[in-house]
Amino acid sequence: MFTFRGIATAVLDEHGVVLRCSEAACDLTGRTAEEVCGRPFRQLFGDQGVGGHGGGGLPSEGRAMLRHRTGAEVDVTYRVLGLKPSAESLVLLAPSRSADAWEQGAGVLRALLSQDHIGMKLYDKGLTAVCGNLPSDEVGGVGMDDVALRAVLETGAPHVSGDPHLPTVRGSFRQWAPLSAHRVQDEEGSPEGVVVLYVDALAFQRAHRDLALLHDAATGIGGSLDPRRAAQDLLDVLVPALGDFGSVELAEAVLSGDEPPKFQGGGDLHLRRAAVASRTGTWPAELLQLGGAIPPLLHTAEVTDVQQGRASVFDPASLVSLCSDPEQLRLFIPEGGHSALWGPLFARGLVLGTVAVWRTDQPEPFDEEDADLLTEIGSRAALSVDNARRYKREHRSVLALQESLLPPPTSDTVAAETAGVYLPAGGGAGVSGDWYDVIPMPSFRLALVAGDVAGHGLYATATMGRLRTAVRTLSDLELAPDELLTRLDDTVQQLGGAADAANPVSATCLYAVYNPVLRRCILASAGHPPPVVLRPDGTAEVVDVSPGPPLGVGGMPFETTIVDLEAGSVLALYTNGLVERDDGDTDRGMRRLTERLAALYGPEQPLRATGEALVDELGGVPERDDVALLLARTRAIPDGDTASWEFPADLAVVATARRAVTRQLAVWGLDELCFTTELIVSELVTNAIRYGGGGPFGLRMIRGDVLVCEVNDSSSTQPRLRRARWTDEGGRGLFLVARLATRWGCRYRMDGKTIWAEQPLVPAEADFTAFM
């Protein structure tokens, strides 16, 4: 304890002369009492001296440099006290170093004693408590035993509590738990007692819980781009750590990806229950279930607080003020619920939703500190929900764009029945540039396309749309698959030149053309996975394709592959998202695709159902890449629906060709088409004889859902449609064909060209006024 060691004293007369002094004063000056007494007190100090007020002209207190006998100066702090009834004064002196230490110690002691959540007890040498700040009516914890205190006093080694987590505290009264004990000693190191520090266990545990909740909120919320999943993550943090039941309601606009309106006051807030959680893991059936709408609320101060971003504390009685219909309260108060928190998911000045937490088994009611905690956690969760909402909106927009660029999921043509399935990537990757297409071509042929643009998001989708348009445009030229990919590669290189370095254009593509007359498919690949063929006998195989480089590389040729397909075969085109696995073994993925296609397909089963089942099994919900699958079940035009002739290049055979066509139309029962067909054939045959290079030419008719007439010659000259002047004797042939046919065109072969024309099987009334 405090022993007054180091304090020197001196008695002065009214003139400031030392009358008497203590031994400590002699030690400070290095002089004997005889040398000190009888001298003016001022003479004991250095050149700077002391001030001029107080006893003997001294100030009442201060700090000065005392002159030691050796000539050294000693920094001292002093105080002058008047002695009554005499005129004498008592001077107290101490080295300033000791005085400062005493003042600091006293300050520390005052600070500890004034703490609200830190307790202190000071024991003397007999381990008797001499002071402290622990009210006896609040001490509910366990003190430190005398054995531990005695060990600290004797050894000087501090004692630290072995349980830093402290026992679970129940109740709202304070319970003090010891943290550590330390020996108190004087300046010379002699033991004077023991001081024990305590902590408010309830406040400690609450602070520990709050920090843990904030940490869990920071690490557990924000890992999903689904608003409902973000809401569930929030409840997983709050229940059961903060309460026994919890629910999150999100604005209807947020669930659809839109921004909610800014509400003020009561009414229908357009909230729907998006997530629930309970301590038991089971949500009571009598409470509002997932997807349920929150009824209109009255305009109260609590509603205003939530709309302004602050949480509120409720009990069942105060909750009545929110609802106009008391019967609705049973949907929101769990059995045994006695205290609730209701807070907003508040971001950018908007209420994206609300969160409610109830206590049933936990006896302590919520307070304002809990409301502040929920407000902070809710604001963090709101950012996650808002990010998920924004992603959902952008994802929806890009997906709508992507789906609008894809063809109808099913088609039915003379050549084949097709079914396409597109599955966007999940896991935050966003939609990408995967696509498929079905392009009807002249003479009942059908082009099948599958492609994949590298990257994700709007840029990849827009690029996919440009490439799909380019493929359709090039297919109108009726180019061979390898030639089409060569021109498409040039297009991609041009797109790449216009793009910035951060977004280079790269894509793969498979282009196949199926001819139902020849029952043959010609295809070429630009770095795309090969198709799979399922034969009518149930056998499946991967087509052996010689793939060229991806589009955009340039400088490398593309090779065609020819596959004979009997009627009823299924050709599967797909993107790599369907076969690429996490282990990177694409070959294994293609084998699995082949096996599952053979197992899932049935001749009587709808083709789309097969495609959806195949994607579900192999693609599931792709995490990193989209999945596009196109299935085509081939058909064949019967031999009896085609007729072919070959004629020499002689104008005399025009009449022969017309008679052959008339006889064939009669066989097919299409006599009503004889007039227009004879005119079309006459003009096409005449042009082939005049401009076809002088060699023999071929004539073919194909009956399907339309009638197709084809004339083949050995010339590569492009036929040109022009309007003849009224004085011209010729030049009206192709114009006449264009007026009589629904469409016509020309395609090139290795040995010449083919001019074709289509007519409906039911003839329309011809309009010849344009020739008048």
Side-chain angles (χ1 to χ4, degrees):
M1 309 309 294
F2 188 61
T3 60
F4 297 95
R5 287 196 185 99
I7 297 180
T9 60
V11 178
L12 312 181
D13 63 13
E14 66 273 18
H15 302 294
V17 176
V18 179
L19 299 179
R20 292 173 296 278
C21 67
S22 66
E23 182 178 353
C26 295
D27 293 338
L28 278 177
T29 61
R31 294 180 174 88
T32 64
E34 290 75 10
E35 292 175 322
V36 173
C37 295
R39 298 179 62 181
F41 185 68
R42 289 177 175 275
Q43 293 182 2
L44 300 175
F45 291 87
D47 295 336
Q48 294 182 355
V50 294
H53 299 288
L58 297 175
S60 59
E61 60 183 21
R63 188 166 179 168
M65 302 302 294
L66 185 68
R67 180 180 296 149
H68 194 269
R69 183 178 187 139
T70 61
E73 292 184 336
V74 181
D75 187 2
V76 296
T77 300
Y78 65 88
R79 184 168 188 180
V80 181
L81 303 174
L83 298 177
K84 302 298 182 181
S86 68
E88 297 175 346
S89 300
L90 176 65
V91 180
L92 304 177
L93 303 97
S96 294
R97 183 180 66 252
S98 299
D100 290 344
W102 296 335
E103 185 64 30
Q104 292 169 1
V108 171
L109 183 61
R110 285 193 299 270
L112 288 174
L113 292 174
S114 64
Q115 293 299 308
D116 188 40
H117 296 302
I118 297 179
M120 190 200 76
K121 272 190 177 183
L122 184 61
Y123 297 85
D124 60 14
K125 293 180 181 180
L127 300 181
T128 300
V130 294
C131 70
N133 65 340
L134 300 182
S136 58
D137 59 343
E138 290 187 355
V139 179
V142 180
M144 195 167 292
D145 57 61
D146 290 346
V147 175
L149 295 178
R150 177 65 61 185
V152 172
L153 181 64
E154 293 177 353
T155 64
H159 179 84
V160 180
S161 174
D163 185 7
H165 301 292
L166 304 178
T168 300
V169 175
R170 291 290 183 182
S172 59
F173 62 91
R174 287 198 248 189
Q175 301 186 44
W176 300 94
L179 283 181
S180 60
H182 305 269
R183 186 169 73 178
V184 179
Q185 54 193 28
D186 59 18
E187 291 183 341
E188 298 178 358
S190 300
E192 295 289 346
V194 178
V195 60
V196 182
L197 297 179
Y198 293 81
V199 66
D200 184 342
L202 186 63
F204 180 88
Q205 290 185 356
R206 182 167 192 159
H208 187 272
R209 180 208 65 183
D210 292 353
L211 288 175
L213 281 173
L214 291 173
H215 176 269
D216 291 343
T219 58
I221 302 174
S224 173
L225 290 175
D226 178 14
R228 290 182 174 85
R229 181 65 254 180
Q232 192 62 54
D233 291 340
L234 170 60
L235 291 182
D236 291 343
V237 171
L238 298 178
V239 178
L242 187 63
D244 303 305
F245 287 86
S247 64
V248 172
E249 290 73 38
L250 294 179
E252 294 174 352
V254 171
L255 292 173
S256 60
D258 298 321
E259 190 169 273
K262 191 170 185 177
F263 282 104
Q264 289 294 333
D268 188 356
L269 303 185
H270 300 283
L271 297 174
R272 289 193 174 273
R273 182 149 288 179
V276 295
S278 69
R279 178 183 293 273
T280 62
T282 302
W283 188 251
E286 62 272 12
L287 298 181
L288 187 67
Q289 301 298 305
L290 289 174
I294 302 300
L297 303 178
L298 298 176
H299 186 184
T300 65
E302 292 80 6
V303 171
T304 302
D305 285 343
V306 168
Q307 292 172 340
Q308 294 178 351
R310 298 187 298 270
S312 297
V313 181
F314 288 89
D315 56 29
S318 61
L319 197 62
V320 176
S321 63
L322 291 179
C323 297
S324 57
D325 183 4
E327 292 298 321
Q328 294 175 335
L329 291 180
R330 61 181 180 81
L331 297 175
F332 302 98
I333 304 177
E335 183 179 358
H338 61 87
S339 183
L341 285 176
W342 186 41
L345 302 181
F346 194 74
R348 298 184 298 106
L350 299 172
V351 178
L352 307 178
T354 62
V355 54
V357 183
W358 279 92
R359 281 181 176 172
T360 56
D361 297 339
Q362 301 181 42
E364 299 82 12
F366 290 114
D367 56 24
E368 291 303 321
E369 291 186 17
D370 293 318
D372 293 340
L373 177 65
L374 184 64
T375 299
E376 183 172 357
I377 294 177
S379 65
R380 298 188 182 188
L383 294 177
S384 176
V385 170
D386 195 42
N387 288 337
R389 177 196 66 79
R390 292 186 179 193
Y391 169 79
K392 189 178 186 69
R393 181 189 61 192
E394 298 301 325
H395 186 271
R396 181 187 61 195
S397 300
V398 176
L399 183 59
L401 173 62
Q402 175 114 1
E403 291 178 342
S404 69
L405 295 174
L406 294 175
T410 61
S411 70
D412 196 350
T413 65
V414 173
E417 172 194 359
T418 69
V421 180
Y422 170 71
L423 189 63
V431 292
S432 62
D434 292 23
W435 92 92
Y436 63 87
D437 206 352
V438 179
I439 308 173
M441 300 182 71
S443 303
F444 306 106
R445 294 171 304 141
L446 188 66
L448 306 171
V449 189
D452 185 358
V453 177
H456 297 87
L458 188 60
Y459 180 81
T461 301
T463 303
M464 177 273 285
R466 299 166 77 178
L467 293 184
R468 178 171 179 257
T469 301
V471 170
R472 280 189 162 260
T473 301
L474 293 172
S475 68
D476 285 342
L477 301 178
E478 302 188 63
L479 302 173
D482 56 340
E483 178 63 22
L484 183 141
L485 290 182
T486 299
R487 298 199 183 188
L488 186 63
D489 181 63
D490 294 337
T491 301
V492 171
Q493 290 184 62
Q494 294 174 13
L495 294 176
D500 55 59
N503 296 297
V505 177
S506 178
T508 65
C509 183
L510 179 69
Y511 183 79
V513 177
Y514 173 66
N515 189 331
V517 176
L518 302 177
R519 302 168 178 87
R520 178 175 295 170
C521 182
I522 303 176
L523 55 92
S525 171
H528 203 79
V532 174
V533 174
L534 178 63
R535 305 288 181 180
D537 60 4
T539 60
E541 61 180 356
V542 177
V543 178
D544 186 12
V545 177
S546 298
L551 298 174
V553 174
M556 298 292 290
F558 299 97
E559 298 184 20
T560 58
T561 301
I562 299 177
V563 182
D564 291 325
L565 298 176
E566 54 268 49
S569 299
V570 175
L571 187 65
L573 283 68
Y574 53 92
T575 56
N576 55 10
L578 189 64
V579 294
E580 284 188 349
R581 306 265 60 89
D582 293 336
D583 57 8
D585 190 351
T586 304
D587 292 338
R588 179 170 171 267
M590 287 193 293
R591 288 195 301 270
R592 188 168 179 230
L593 168 63
T594 305
E595 295 170 357
R596 297 313 302 157
L597 177 61
L600 293 172
Y601 174 73
E604 305 300 325
Q605 184 178 3
L607 201 58
R608 182 167 177 81
T610 300
E612 291 176 344
L614 194 61
V615 169
D616 287 342
E617 283 198 20
L618 301 182
V621 180
E623 291 295 322
R624 295 188 302 270
D625 199 3
D626 291 11
V627 168
L629 172 67
L630 176 63
L631 298 180
R633 181 159 48 200
T634 62
R635 292 172 175 150
I637 293 180
D639 295 337
D641 286 342
T642 64
S644 301
W645 302 272
E646 187 171 330
F647 300 103
D650 186 350
L651 290 175
V653 303
V654 174
T656 305
R658 295 175 63 174
R659 288 193 297 270
V661 167
T662 301
R663 286 194 299 269
Q664 187 60 50
L665 291 177
V667 172
W668 286 341
L670 299 176
D671 299 279
E672 64 273 17
L673 294 179
C674 285
F675 177 72
T676 56
T677 305
E678 285 182 3
L679 288 176
I680 291 173
V681 168
S682 294
E683 297 301 330
L684 294 182
V685 167
T686 301
N687 283 343
I689 294 172
R690 288 178 175 177
Y691 311 111
F697 65 90
L699 171 63
R700 183 170 69 171
M701 289 199 308
I702 310 172
R703 181 182 64 171
D705 54 356
V706 294
L707 180 65
V708 177
C709 296
E710 297 179 341
V711 174
N712 305 317
D713 61 47
S714 58
S715 172
S716 298
T717 303
Q718 170 70 39
R720 183 168 61 90
L721 179 67
R722 67 182 180 89
R723 182 180 292 273
R725 291 171 297 185
W726 69 274
T727 58
D728 292 342
E729 294 183 1
R732 297 177 178 83
L734 287 180
F735 187 74
L736 180 63
V737 171
R739 298 293 295 183
L740 296 177
T742 54
R743 62 173 184 161
W744 72 279
C746 176
R747 63 177 177 269
Y748 293 92
R749 309 183 317 276
M750 295 295 293
D751 55 351
K753 68 178 181 295
T754 298
I755 302 178
W756 55 268
E758 287 184 4
Q759 300 177 79
L761 297 182
V762 178
E765 184 176 348
D767 181 11
F768 294 100
T769 58
F771 303 97
M772 304 302 291

